[in-house]
């Protein structure tokens, strides 16, 4: 069967869909919107490479591509480059609070801006396929085309459905960071609850700002320490990450803030958050609060990659879907590359390495000049990537979310916040024979709200897998169609096609 719009797959051999893999292209045809667009004139090449995202991976890819003389367009929906980790780094006055890792990103952002890549901030991409990339920005709605597209869409925080998680006042640790980095906003006496390095980092940043959290509730099971020790050798090779983590924990404890181990939690309130009920062993406790920041790790932001119909696989170690790709970022769609945390969670340093590798992979496929030098550089980057990722298996094992947070066991819990679909509704649909997430849309409208399945997608896959006794790879995920971001009819009608 021809792949993706009739185009032949690239020559690079990648695993095909099979056990443990779910190929979303088999679950649906081109959308009606895409079909009606076939009659439009296909644009001429606007660039050699279009990069979506201006975080560490996207910026590094742009620098590398320009170094090879490629024409580059970088599209990003933020007003300044940096992604989440380096958000507002050029104008920040909170360096002492945000820490050295944040400050280190300033040099990369400055280098990116000093280059001559065609950088287009505040550009909301809503369609990506072999006909080009459609976006709406300060220059209106445009369709641009390049020989290759690199998706550097980064990560999103893992959605964690719990009783009361939709109450006003319940936010994520990432939201706490956005408020801090963007406007220096600090919530008063919040409760932090969850697990993972980002949780400890934000707690430490709050303490540096002078705001003491009311409580820190850590859900990391002690038994997972033993499981993580199986990866001890790799953890020692990645000692820098271990040192950072131990340093954050020591910094928090030195202030007298107690990190309390808990097994379960829920949020209470009527019109807003009023308290958190939690359990540690057999002891149940309630703490009053009106602000809570929750975190259970991050997962790749794959909405854009899913829309391209490239194959995705279920990562059991990271408990999420990731695009199927090789070391050079190649997917099974010949014009599409993935880089950074959007291709699998690795962190900022590795994100930059994968961004450059994706560009070298494009050069390897399309250029001939100075091939030996590029191969040498690619080998260096792969070695650095292995070293930087050495501690990743240890961290993934230690901070793997508890099953109860991935799959709620209370029928009253909302799984799809947009359409108010509860676990009970999903259970009823499964009992009536609903086989997967896409069919669940017809049963419940789950995934059809404003977020277009970004939040409920991972939840629904894991929940239906648990209910049916299957793996998430067998159950599958939502089919994502363009436009995968909100767009008005006016923006579509006024779409301007770039040409040389």
């Amino acid at each position: 069967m021809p792949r993706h719009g009739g185009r032949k797959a690239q020559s690079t051999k990648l695993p095909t869909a099979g056990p443990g893999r779910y190929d979303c292209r088999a679950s649906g045809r081109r959308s009606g919107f895409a079909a009606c667009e076939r009659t439009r004139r296909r644009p001429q090449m606007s660039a050699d490479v279009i990069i979506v995202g201006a975080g560490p991976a996207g910026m590094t890819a742009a620098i590398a591509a320009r170094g090879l003389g490629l024409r580059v367009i970088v599209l990003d929906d933020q007003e300044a480059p940096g992604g989440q980790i380096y958000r507002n780094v050029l104008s920040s006055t909170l360096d002492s609070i945000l820490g050295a890792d944040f400050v280190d990103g300033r040099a990369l952002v400055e280098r990116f801006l000093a280059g001559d890549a065609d950088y287009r901030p505040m550009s909301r991409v809503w369609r990506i396929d072999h006909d080009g990339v459609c976006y709406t920005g300060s220059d209106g709605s445009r369709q641009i085309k390049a020989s290759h597209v690199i998706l550097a869409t980064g990560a999103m925080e893992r959605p964690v459905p719990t009783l009361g998680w939709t109450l006003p006042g319940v936010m994520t640790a990432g939201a706490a960071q956005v408020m801090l980095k963007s406007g220096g906003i600090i919530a008063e006496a919040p409760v932090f609850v969850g697990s993972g390095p980002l949780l400890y980092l934000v707690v430490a940043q709050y303490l540096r700002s002078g705001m003491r959290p009311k409580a820190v509730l850590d859900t990391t099971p002690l038994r997972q320490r033993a499981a993580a020790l199986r990866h001890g050798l790799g953890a020692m090779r990645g000692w820098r990450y271990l040192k950072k983590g131990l340093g954050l924990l020591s910094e928090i404890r030195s202030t007298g803030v107690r990190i309390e181990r808990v097994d379960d939690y829920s949020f209470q309130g009527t019109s807003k958050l009023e308290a958190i009920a939690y359990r540690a062993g057999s002891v149940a406790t309630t703490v009053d609060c009106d602000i809570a920041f929750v975190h259970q790790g991050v997962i790749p932001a794959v909405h854009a990659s899913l829309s391209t119909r490239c194959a995705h696989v279920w990562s059991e170690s990271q408990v999420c879907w990731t695009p199927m790709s090789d070391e050079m970022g190649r997917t099974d769609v010949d014009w599409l590359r993935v880089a950074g945390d959007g291709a699998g969670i690795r962190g900022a340093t590795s994100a930059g390495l994968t961004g450059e590798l994706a560009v070298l992979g494009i050069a390897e496929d399309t250029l001939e000049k100075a091939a030996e030098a590029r191969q040498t550089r690619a080998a260096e980057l792969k070695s650095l990537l292995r070293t930087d990722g050495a501690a990743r298996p240890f961290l993934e094992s230690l901070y793997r979310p508890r099953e109860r947070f991935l799959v709620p066991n209370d029928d009253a819990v909302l799984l799809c916040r947009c359409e108010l679909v509860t676990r009970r509704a999903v259970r009823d649909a499964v009992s009536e024979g609903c086989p997967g997430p896409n069919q669940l849309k017809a049963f419940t409208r789950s995934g059809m709200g404003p977020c277009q399945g970004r939040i409920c997608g991972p939840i629904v896959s894991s929940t239906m897998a648990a209910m049916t006794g299957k793996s998430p790879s067998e159950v599958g995920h939502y089919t994502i169609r363009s436009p995968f971001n909100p767009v008005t009819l006016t923006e579509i009608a006024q779409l301007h096609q770039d040409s040389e």
Side-chain angles (χ1 to χ4, degrees):
M1 180 180 292
R3 293 184 184 272
H4 196 76
R7 278 177 163 250
K8 184 179 178 181
Q10 54 160 24
S11 60
T12 302
K13 300 298 182 183
L14 292 170
T16 57
R21 303 185 179 95
Y22 175 74
D23 190 343
C24 63
R25 295 166 303 165
S27 63
R29 302 176 181 177
R30 288 174 63 108
S31 67
F33 173 74
C36 74
E37 283 289 286
R38 294 177 192 171
T39 59
R40 299 178 68 93
R41 178 179 61 84
R42 293 178 63 178
Q44 299 297 315
M45 294 297 179
S46 306
D48 297 309
V49 182
I50 296 172
I51 300 171
V52 181
M59 290 188 292
T60 305
I63 293 168
R66 288 302 301 138
L68 293 174
L70 300 176
R71 295 176 299 160
V72 181
I73 295 175
V74 181
L75 303 174
D76 189 60
D77 59 3
Q78 300 299 316
E79 60 183 0
Q84 167 67 355
I85 188 168
Y86 302 137
R87 181 185 294 272
N88 204 33
V89 68
L90 292 184
S91 56
S92 174
T93 59
L94 303 174
D95 291 358
S96 61
I97 294 174
L98 296 174
D101 286 344
F102 174 75
V103 176
D104 288 345
R106 188 165 291 140
L108 175 60
V109 173
E110 290 174 343
R111 186 181 173 201
F112 167 71
L113 291 175
D116 55 355
D118 185 352
Y119 166 52
R120 304 182 186 183
M122 300 298 287
S123 296
R124 174 169 39 86
V125 176
W126 43 270
R127 178 185 171 197
I128 303 172
D129 64 13
H130 66 280
D131 281 331
V133 175
C134 297
Y135 73 96
T136 301
S138 59
D139 52 350
S141 295
R142 307 187 76 88
Q143 181 180 16
I144 56 178
K145 184 173 175 62
S147 300
H148 295 89
V149 174
I150 298 177
L151 290 180
T153 50
M156 59 177 281
E157 282 187 271
R158 184 188 305 278
V160 186
T162 314
L163 281 174
W165 72 305
T166 60
L167 285 170
V170 180
M171 293 179 280
T172 65
Q177 265 207 338
V178 169
M179 291 189 295
L180 181 59
K181 292 178 178 179
S182 299
I185 299 172
I186 304 289
E188 185 174 352
V191 172
F192 288 87
V193 55
S195 177
L198 179 62
L199 186 79
Y200 310 136
L201 174 60
V202 181
V203 171
Q205 290 171 341
Y206 258 61
L207 289 168
R208 293 169 196 163
S209 73
M211 178 56 69
R212 187 181 181 88
K214 193 166 190 177
V216 178
L217 309 178
D218 193 332
T219 63
T220 307
L222 291 176
R223 66 177 181 274
Q224 286 183 192
R225 291 181 177 179
L229 287 177
R230 294 190 308 236
H231 307 287
L233 180 59
M236 294 307 295
R237 288 175 55 214
W239 62 270
R240 289 181 178 83
Y241 285 102
L242 299 184
K243 182 180 178 181
K244 287 180 184 178
L246 292 172
L248 287 173
L249 290 172
S250 177
E251 181 180 353
I252 293 169
R253 291 193 176 106
S254 68
T255 65
V257 172
R258 182 177 174 223
I259 300 177
E260 186 169 359
R261 302 282 177 181
V262 303
D263 299 313
D264 205 355
Y265 64 88
S266 61
F267 303 105
Q268 299 179 343
T270 51
S271 60
K272 63 177 183 177
L273 177 65
E274 297 171 3
I276 299 178
Y278 63 92
R279 179 177 55 81
S282 60
V283 180
T285 310
T286 299
V287 57
D288 294 336
C289 67
D290 56 8
I291 293 289
F293 294 119
V294 187
H295 183 72
Q296 292 288 352
V298 295
I299 59 176
V302 294
H303 224 61
S305 58
L306 285 171
S307 76
T308 69
R309 301 296 191 269
C310 75
H312 286 64
V313 296
W314 176 259
S315 170
E316 187 58 33
S317 62
Q318 296 190 358
V319 201
C320 62
W321 294 101
T322 64
M324 187 171 67
S325 61
D326 66 7
E327 287 185 300
M328 308 299 283
R330 299 184 183 93
T331 69
D332 64 340
V333 174
D334 58 355
W335 47 266
L336 183 68
R337 303 292 194 271
V338 290
D341 281 349
I345 304 302
R346 293 179 173 179
T349 299
S350 287
L353 299 174
T354 60
E356 186 174 351
L357 277 170
V359 171
L360 291 177
I362 291 173
E364 182 179 290
D365 296 344
T366 58
L367 303 178
E368 296 181 1
K369 185 179 179 181
E372 185 176 346
R374 291 198 301 271
Q375 291 172 358
T376 299
R377 177 57 179 165
E380 293 174 354
L381 292 170
K382 291 176 184 178
S383 177
L384 291 171
L385 198 58
R386 287 190 292 270
T387 300
D388 188 64
R392 183 57 53 181
F394 175 85
L395 297 173
E396 291 170 358
S397 180
L398 178 61
Y399 295 118
R400 183 185 179 91
R402 294 174 186 260
E403 187 70 14
R404 65 171 58 94
F405 301 136
L406 298 172
V407 181
N409 54 20
D410 192 314
D411 275 350
V413 174
L414 283 173
L415 302 191
C416 174
R417 303 186 303 181
C418 297
E419 296 295 329
L420 302 180
V421 179
T422 63
R423 181 187 183 276
R424 179 185 295 277
V426 175
R427 178 169 60 81
D428 290 345
V430 170
S431 68
E432 293 172 15
C434 179
N438 288 301
Q439 294 79 9
L440 187 66
K441 294 178 182 179
F443 279 77
T444 67
R445 286 192 55 83
S446 177
M448 298 179 70
C451 89
Q452 298 179 281
R454 284 173 174 79
I455 303 300
C456 67
I459 299 169
V460 164
S461 290
S462 296
T463 301
M464 295 191 75
M467 289 178 173
T468 58
K470 298 178 180 179
S471 68
S473 60
E474 293 175 299
V475 169
H477 52 71
Y478 290 143
T479 296
I480 306 302
R481 296 179 174 87
S482 298
F484 56 83
N485 271 321
V487 60
T488 66
L489 290 175
T490 299
E491 289 172 334
I492 295 174
Q494 294 179 347
L495 190 66
H496 173 77
Q497 297 178 330
D498 280 6
S499 61
E500 290 181 313

